[in-house]
Amino acid sequence: MANVPNYVPYMKTNSTLLLLLLFLANNTLVFLAHSWELGRPVLDDNEYLKWLDDEENVNDNEVELTKKYSSRNSCDEYFSNGKWVYDESYPLYDSTCPYLSHAVTCQKNGRPDSEYQKWRWQPHTQSCSIPRFDALKFLGKMRRKRIMLVGDSIMRNQWESLVCLVQGVVPTSRKRVTYNGPSMAFHALDFEASIEFSWAPLLVELKKGPQNKRILHLDTIEENARYWRGVDILVFDSAHWWSHSDQNSTWDYYMEGRSMLQNMNPMVAYQKGLTTWAKWIDLNMDPRRTKVIFRSMSPRHNRENGWKCYNQRRPLAKLRHEYVPEQLLVVKEVLRKMSFPVNLQDITTMSALRKDGHPSVYGRAMNGSGEEERRQQSSDCSHWCLPGVPDTWNEMLNVMI
């Protein structure tokens, strides 16, 4: 019998050993992977996807990253083109809402007509309709979040509107208002949500200087901006105070760096102030955590010493010419240069059609007073009666967020 080479059983032994080693290695890797999974922090789906995105885009530059996380609604630019449609189902609340300032409760103050409350905005683009405000859906979207409206008294006007749109579905014992410096907040406790307003009409800082002079610091903002940190949705406006005439100006000097000036073109100053705001947003806000919206200028109908809005009962069908205030052009240019994706909420044209929506002489109660006596009072053609036009701004805002 021929000799069988002794390498055959050696090959069989080594094959068996190799298979055993592969089996053990595979199970060790599975065990290690499983162990890592058990030890990994629990993340919800959004956080986990964000974590993956961070790993995949570790080499992206800042501009690309902010654009990636932009969530601009494709309808935003079409919302401002449309018409006002009379709708008997409006308003969505009444002037007894306890969060309204007396100056905007026009019905309680004696305004005889109420049709100004019943108009809704219908964009011309049918696919971009603005849904009727649903308070519960809004609060569901805002669960465990903060939304803050930052600006002047007209932004306060909008904040009161938003609170009144929401508060009716929140039990009395489950809502409250708190105050913190220049800010106030409405809390819906069961949703752990807050709707906040922060007073900053110029966004940059206005301070008292030597001899009690008022100094507008065009390149300083932190004193106001510290209240904006940690907010999930920020809505800004700043326009009206920048357009005050010299005699009504709220400051005596401009300051930029160490230079102090008494005179400056108002729109140049506005551009400088907004640029300071834009730089702060770019440096301090993360578009994955915070959404930023800039609301355009609310138009005033103050010609003829404020009487242009008196006794107006219906919206205009159209404007005689395109209404584009200088402030809006400045805002668009500043936003264009930012790396952070800020959404522009353009309410200027739609609101310019609503001369009927202002308090006019019904900014305060005058029991027993006739119209002639009311005409001796000042006429407010800047702010808005509530319920009224700002409710539409908030219906649009609800879509944008």
Side-chain angles (χ1 to χ4, degrees):
M1 183 176 179
N3 292 329
V4 178
N6 60 9
Y7 65 80
V8 173
Y10 174 80
M11 288 180 63
K12 287 183 179 179
T13 303
N14 277 275
S15 296
T16 304
L17 182 59
L18 181 61
L19 288 172
L20 180 60
L21 288 171
L22 286 172
F23 174 81
L24 290 172
N26 183 60
N27 281 276
T28 301
L29 288 171
V30 171
F31 173 77
L32 289 172
H34 181 62
S35 299
W36 178 85
E37 185 69 17
L38 289 174
R40 182 170 66 89
V42 177
L43 302 174
D44 63 33
D45 289 342
N46 289 333
E47 288 176 316
Y48 185 64
L49 290 173
K50 183 180 74 177
W51 175 81
L52 289 175
D53 286 338
D54 288 347
E55 289 292 303
E56 291 170 0
N57 297 291
V58 69
N59 294 318
D60 283 355
N61 63 47
E62 184 182 1
V63 175
E64 289 173 342
L65 186 63
T66 55
K67 287 180 178 178
K68 179 181 186 298
Y69 285 99
S70 173
S71 55
R72 181 178 175 84
N73 188 307
S74 61
C75 283
D76 290 354
E77 60 187 285
Y78 299 111
F79 283 150
S80 60
N81 298 309
K83 62 182 179 180
W84 289 99
V85 177
Y86 191 79
D87 190 332
E88 279 286 357
S89 69
Y90 282 73
L92 301 177
Y93 59 91
D94 60 42
S95 59
T96 63
C97 173
Y99 301 97
L100 294 178
S101 302
H102 293 302
V104 300
T105 55
C106 302
Q107 288 291 293
K108 290 173 68 174
N109 293 340
R111 180 167 174 167
D113 63 307
S114 60
E115 286 78 11
Y116 66 89
Q117 303 175 102
K118 296 182 176 295
W119 297 89
R120 63 175 174 83
W121 183 250
Q122 181 175 297
H124 290 318
T125 304
Q126 295 299 317
S127 60
C128 292
S129 61
I130 300 175
R132 184 182 179 91
F133 192 90
D134 185 313
L136 285 175
K137 284 185 178 179
F138 177 83
L139 286 172
K141 187 159 47 175
M142 289 302 303
R143 187 181 295 276
R144 299 187 186 89
K145 291 182 180 178
R146 298 169 62 196
I147 180 171
M148 178 182 282
L149 282 61
V150 181
D152 55 21
S153 58
I154 298 177
M155 187 60 96
R156 164 73 183 264
N157 212 175
Q158 184 176 354
W159 176 80
E160 292 181 6
S161 160
L162 185 56
V163 171
C164 287
L165 285 167
V166 165
Q167 66 90 27
V169 300
V170 182
T172 303
S173 63
R174 305 304 297 159
K175 55 191 172 188
R176 69 165 186 253
V177 174
T178 59
Y179 300 87
N180 178 28
S183 302
M184 61 180 72
F186 170 87
H187 300 268
L189 301 179
D190 290 331
F191 291 86
E192 300 177 60
S194 63
I195 302 170
E196 307 175 35
F197 168 73
S198 189
W199 174 258
L202 297 159
L203 300 181
V204 292
E205 296 174 18
L206 180 63
K207 297 180 178 180
K208 288 289 180 71
Q211 300 178 338
N212 224 26
K213 294 297 184 180
R214 301 160 302 173
I215 302 173
L216 180 59
H217 294 257
L218 296 174
D219 54 2
T220 309
I221 199 170
E222 186 59 40
E223 190 172 297
N224 294 325
R226 61 195 174 103
Y227 294 97
W228 312 339
R229 297 179 186 275
V231 177
D232 299 283
I233 301 166
L234 284 162
V235 185
F236 293 92
D237 97 304
S238 183
H240 282 283
W241 281 41
W242 294 94
S243 60
H244 287 172
S245 61
D246 290 341
Q247 60 192 28
N248 295 320
S249 176
T250 50
W251 60 87
D252 302 301
Y253 295 97
Y254 299 98
M255 192 162 188
E256 188 176 20
R258 295 186 177 183
S259 301
M260 188 177 294
L261 301 169
Q262 190 164 13
N263 298 305
M264 185 182 294
N265 181 298
M267 288 302 100
V268 172
Y270 184 48
Q271 184 271 334
K272 289 177 180 291
L274 275 191
T275 299
T276 298
W277 166 84
K279 288 178 179 177
W280 189 91
I281 293 293
D282 280 340
L283 290 172
N284 292 278
M285 295 288 102
D286 182 345
R288 294 167 296 184
R289 296 180 175 87
T290 305
K291 187 175 185 67
V292 178
I293 295 168
F294 200 101
R295 199 210 69 207
S296 69
M297 181 182 185
S298 169
R300 292 178 291 186
H301 299 96
N302 277 343
R303 287 179 298 164
E304 299 178 11
N305 296 320
W307 292 101
K308 199 69 178 176
C309 71
Y310 173 69
N311 207 29
Q312 297 295 314
R313 302 295 179 90
R314 295 179 63 87
L316 299 173
K318 62 181 180 178
L319 299 173
R320 293 180 182 176
H321 53 82
E322 187 178 9
Y323 180 67
V324 184
E326 284 184 275
Q327 290 91 335
L328 182 55
L329 297 177
V330 173
V331 167
K332 287 183 175 181
E333 181 63 14
V334 170
L335 297 188
R336 185 184 66 81
K337 294 178 179 179
M338 294 178 67
S339 59
F340 191 100
V342 177
N343 286 23
L344 176 65
Q345 183 186 10
D346 188 352
I347 55 87
T348 303
T349 301
M350 67 163 66
S351 306
L353 297 169
R354 295 301 308 273
K355 289 193 297 183
D356 60 312
H358 299 290
S360 185
V361 297
Y362 301 102
R364 64 188 182 96
M366 295 179 63
N367 295 331
S369 301
E371 286 302 302
E372 284 304 315
E373 188 174 346
R374 280 192 178 276
R375 282 186 63 90
Q376 305 306 313
Q377 308 301 313
S378 60
S379 177
D380 180 359
C381 296
S382 296
H383 299 92
W384 301 92
C385 295
L386 291 177
V389 172
D391 301 331
T392 295
W393 302 349
N394 284 323
E395 287 187 308
M396 183 194 304
L397 178 64
N398 185 33
V399 177
M400 294 180 71
I401 62 176

